[in-house]
Each structure stands twice: as structure tokens, then as C-alpha cells.
Amino acid sequence: MVAQPPLSPDAHEAPPLPALPPATEPLIPLTPAKKDRRVLRAVLRWGAAVVVFAVVGAGTAYGITDMKRTDVPGLGTASDGRWDYPVLSKPPLPAGSPGPFAEANTAEVHFADLRALVLPAPKGATGDKALDGSDGWLATKTFLAELSSGDDRTELAQKLTDDGLRHIAARGWTTPDGTHTRIYLLQFDTATVADGMVGGNLGGYAAPTYPVHGADSYEPDDDFPDAAKITDVSLVPYTEAKPYGPEQIRLAFLTAGDTVAMIVQSRKGEANGIPFQQTVTLQSQLLG
């Protein structure tokens, strides 16, 4: 079961979320593997890490370990803006396949079905059918349509081709408060390629290289709490800088092994930071 980190000091306990079928074996904390490589990776990534999970046995469903209710988002009261997500379990690995951060998995490949690693919509949300794709795989041009500039779309399309993009899985929804969320998972051959895509192409130091529709001016989201960041998953979060237009954009890039996630939230007026942090953290846990 996914426990959820405190994004607000005023959060209170709420009734437990409806459970999905539990994983057959939960993950257990392990010492991070490939320590020297992680140190080098940290220079290339902006992320910070606090919790590490590893697969227990191949070919079985594997879940997300319980944490203290004050450690992970989603268990506060509705008044703090958190969404009611279902309890999550990671999809099963093919028999004999290691997890993405196992010692034997030097390329840090996700062998689980990428489509099953996309965060599901919270309770009460309306799905975005435009992101359903064909058999769950999204066309690259649909992903690129998030970018505001035609030149940027052309340039990034070529970079994705050059870097051997394998698949895109996506999901989108709109919650009753009007927040529109889009999550895109882009899978490459190795972690090195995925790192280069974010570090060298998508994520700039102070702003994303390619602005998305609705926002041209960004700043780093320095309010993202360290307790909501996940070991082995690098995070680059941004928020649209004031003054913004009719709606505000929040944007984050995650790098987890061979997979890059782009998470976009927009809302008329102001985009609430708490559900954004909650969404980013839960997606990080599924990929981590």
C-alpha cells in the first residue's frame, strides 16, 4: 500500500483509501547498489533521494512498501488539497527479470510493462481520452503537441529519434477543481540515454528547454519537500513564474533508470502545489 508524505504541516489523517489487490511480496529497504556510479549520476541529475526499494523475487507482483503516515502524500484531510488516489502496487516483472535498480541490471531497464507504470487517476477525475493512445502506446506527435513552439517540436522530435526512443505511455485527467494533469513516460534503451535526455535536452537549470503550452516563463520549484523525493529517481520541478496568464502551469521531469517522465499540471488561476507534489511523488514511487 502506498503511504503518502506530508506536504502540509496541517494535514490530518483521513479514512484509508480503497484497497486494490495487494502485491504478493512487498519491497524491503536495501542499501543502494552501484554506489560509485550513483555519485557520478548525482552530478548529472538534480534529484535528491531518501528511500530506496528493490524487487523481492522475479516474476511476481511487487508492491510499494508502507511508510509512516507522516512520510508520504495522500493521507491528509481533503482540506489540504490532496487527491484520493487508489492504493498502488507495482506491476509484476517477467520471470527471471531484475528490478530497474538491481545490481545485475547495469542498464537500469524497466522490464515491467511501461503502460502499467503510469500513475492512475485519482477518485472523481475525468480521464483524458486523447492520451489513451493505441493499445496504450502514445504517438510521439501527441506528446510533442505539449510544446508551445513548432520549432521546438521539430527539434525535439529529431533528438528523440536520434536517442532511440522506444515507447511513450501516458495518462491524463481533470479533477473537479479544474486541474488538468498529463503524465508521459518515455522509455529509452539505457539509463545513460535517459539521463542525457533530461540533463542535456529537456531540463535547464532555471527553466525547461522547451516551454509547454500556456507558460513561457518558469522558475525552479524550490518548495518541493525533500521528504517527497525518492531514491534513484531524479527530479527537476518547475513552476510558472508570475505574472502568468489565465492558468498556471507546474512541470516536472523525472529520470528513473531507462525512463523519463514528464508531468504537467495546469489550472485556471493558480495550480495548487500540494496535489502536484503528491502526483510527482507517487509516480516516482512507481518508477523507483
Side-chain angles (χ1 to χ4, degrees), residues 225-249:
D226 286 342
K229 299 173 183 177
I230 305 301
T231 293
D232 289 320
V233 179
S234 295
L235 168 65
V236 189
Y238 303 102
T239 183
E240 183 179 1
K242 294 182 179 180
Y244 38 83
E247 62 180 17
Q248 185 187 24
I249 302 289

Side-chain angles (χ1 to χ4, degrees), residues 115-141:
R115 294 166 293 186
L117 290 173
V118 187
L119 184 67
K123 182 179 179 180
T126 301
D128 186 347
K129 293 184 178 180
L131 299 187
D132 288 348
S134 176
D135 294 329
W137 298 120
L138 193 72
T140 303
K141 66 179 181 180

Side-chain angles (χ1 to χ4, degrees), residues 3 7 13 17-18 26 32 61 81 100 125 133 142 165 183 186 198-199 214 228 238 255 275 279:
L7 304 177
E13 289 190 333
L17 302 178
T142 305
L165 174 66
I183 299 177
L186 289 73
V198 174
Y238 303 102
T255 313
T279 300

Side-chain angles (χ1 to χ4, degrees), residues 12-108:
H12 303 287
E13 289 190 333
L17 302 178
L20 295 180
T24 57
E25 296 183 59
L27 300 182
I28 57 175
L30 298 179
T31 302
K34 299 173 279 188
K35 180 177 179 182
D36 292 341
R37 188 177 176 198
R38 293 288 176 270
V39 173
L40 177 59
R41 180 72 49 74
V43 176
L44 302 176
R45 295 177 172 177
W46 289 269
V50 293
V51 182
V52 63
F53 301 100
V55 175
V56 180
T60 61
Y62 55 109
I64 297 174
T65 31
D66 288 339
M67 300 170 67
K68 293 180 181 178
R69 294 177 70 85
T70 55
D71 287 344
V72 193
L75 296 180
T77 62
S79 62
D80 71 1
R82 304 184 196 207
W83 292 340
D84 187 0
Y85 278 103
V87 175
L88 305 177
S89 291
K90 293 185 179 182
L93 288 165
S97 298
F101 301 107
E103 183 70 28
N105 191 349
T106 57
E108 297 181 357

Side-chain angles (χ1 to χ4, degrees), residues 193-215:
V193 177
D195 280 338
M197 178 54 62
V198 174
N201 295 298
L202 297 175
Y205 175 74
T209 304
Y210 304 111
V212 302
H213 280 294

Side-chain angles (χ1 to χ4, degrees), residues 147-199:
L147 306 184
S148 57
S149 165
D151 289 342
D152 286 350
R153 291 192 290 272
T154 300
E155 181 175 294
L156 183 56
Q158 187 60 54
K159 289 180 178 180
L160 293 174
T161 298
D162 293 344
D163 282 355
L165 174 66
R166 296 177 58 198
H167 304 292
I168 302 177
R171 180 167 289 121
W173 63 80
T174 301
T175 47
D177 68 351
T179 303
H180 186 197
T181 300
R182 289 88 76 195
I183 299 177
Y184 304 92
L185 302 187
L186 289 73
Q187 190 170 38
F188 299 89
D189 285 332
T190 67
T192 300
V193 177
D195 280 338
M197 178 54 62
V198 174

